[in-house]
Amino acid sequence: LVARPGTQLTFRFASEGTTHHAFADFRYLPLLNPAAMIACVQWAEQQGFDAAILGCFGDPFLREIRVAVRIPVIGFGEAALMAAASVGPFAIVTNSPLLLEPVRQQVEQLSLSHLLVGMVASSEAADKQEQALVDAKAAMDHFREDAKPLIADGARAVVPACGILSAALRMAPGRDELGRGLLKIENVPVIDVVGCAVLAAERAVLENRASPVLDADLPRPGNAAD
């Protein structure tokens, strides 16, 4: 819906991650997904891809991955939050209460806390959320109701802090009769997380620039990485 003519996207899953049955019992398992994503991006660079997008709003290991490769690496969360900030004060709806604090930290790291109006977790039950990609109607209804108080508080943009939820609101069966998905609530734009990441990757490639790397990201003398 947003990509330039000629842009080609290749989708792939990380080799390991949070789908293992033992995920709930072992704290180290969440680290498998970011580690596998590093390997995915390195593979993409070796295969000649122009850029890579991390398909997770939490942007796992984004800075570390950017240091490890030369191609631009775009994070769902960073791209969406920066797009929201360009509109004005914004609000965030996460898909779980457990993500409220991690996403708040992302906002802080991007120096956007002064624009954050508020955050809430989705009112839709977790076991129902996976149906959004099959039929987005319930997810859209919950998202609208969750966002309305935040809009009343002054949000000029609303971010669905989940790539899957954002894609469902934009593309899944059950979206509005125009077939364009949930683009606005009370004339306030709903940020297209996936679309923002694609546009950011295209800009980086067209401008022939690498990902932003902060001095704090670089290895220091005496580190094993030297």
Side-chain angles (χ1 to χ4, degrees):
L1 295 175
V2 302
R4 296 168 60 93
T7 295
Q8 296 181 356
L9 302 173
T10 296
F11 295 83
R12 63 169 297 182
F13 286 103
S15 59
E16 297 178 282
T18 59
T19 57
H20 194 280
H21 62 83
F23 172 66
D25 298 321
F26 296 95
R27 289 180 296 173
Y28 79 89
L29 280 172
L31 297 178
L32 292 178
N33 195 297
M37 292 181 83
I38 293 176
C40 281
V41 175
Q42 291 175 326
W43 170 86
E45 182 179 46
Q46 294 165 2
Q47 294 298 312
F49 285 89
D50 297 307
I53 297 172
L54 303 185
C56 176
F57 196 92
D59 297 343
F61 285 13
L62 177 59
R63 291 181 176 181
E64 291 83 352
I65 294 174
R66 284 175 168 169
V67 172
V69 297
R70 291 184 173 86
I71 60 175
V73 183
I74 308 300
F76 267 7
E78 181 182 80
L81 293 171
M82 295 300 291
S86 71
V87 177
F90 62 90
I92 298 171
V93 178
T94 71
N95 62 337
S96 167
L98 297 176
L99 296 178
L100 289 172
E101 186 53 35
V103 174
R104 191 182 302 278
Q105 291 176 12
Q106 284 181 270
V107 174
E108 183 177 341
Q109 290 169 359
L110 292 170
S111 300
L112 299 177
S113 297
H114 64 292
L115 291 173
L116 179 61
V117 172
M119 298 175 59
V120 297
S122 173
S123 58
E124 186 174 28
D127 61 347
K128 303 293 185 183
Q129 292 180 21
E130 63 184 19
Q131 296 300 315
L133 289 175
V134 179
D135 186 345
K137 185 179 185 309
M140 292 173 73
D141 290 343
H142 281 278
F143 191 86
R144 283 192 186 96
E145 294 307 310
D146 295 334
K148 285 179 180 178
L150 299 168
I151 293 172
D153 287 340
R156 300 277 66 85
V158 183
V159 182
C162 171
I164 293 176
L165 173 60
S166 179
L169 298 177
R170 190 79 162 93
M171 290 290 296
R175 60 189 184 274
D176 66 21
E177 63 277 6
L178 297 178
R180 300 176 62 205
L182 186 61
L183 301 180
K184 293 184 178 181
I185 300 172
E186 299 180 358
N187 212 34
V188 171
V190 175
I191 298 300
D192 177 0
V193 173
V194 181
C196 287
V198 171
L199 292 175
E202 288 180 331
R203 285 195 299 270
V205 172
L206 291 171
E207 295 171 8
N208 194 27
R209 58 182 171 83
S211 306
V213 176
L214 304 179
D215 288 343
D217 297 329
L218 301 175
R220 290 288 180 254
N223 290 351
D226 285 331

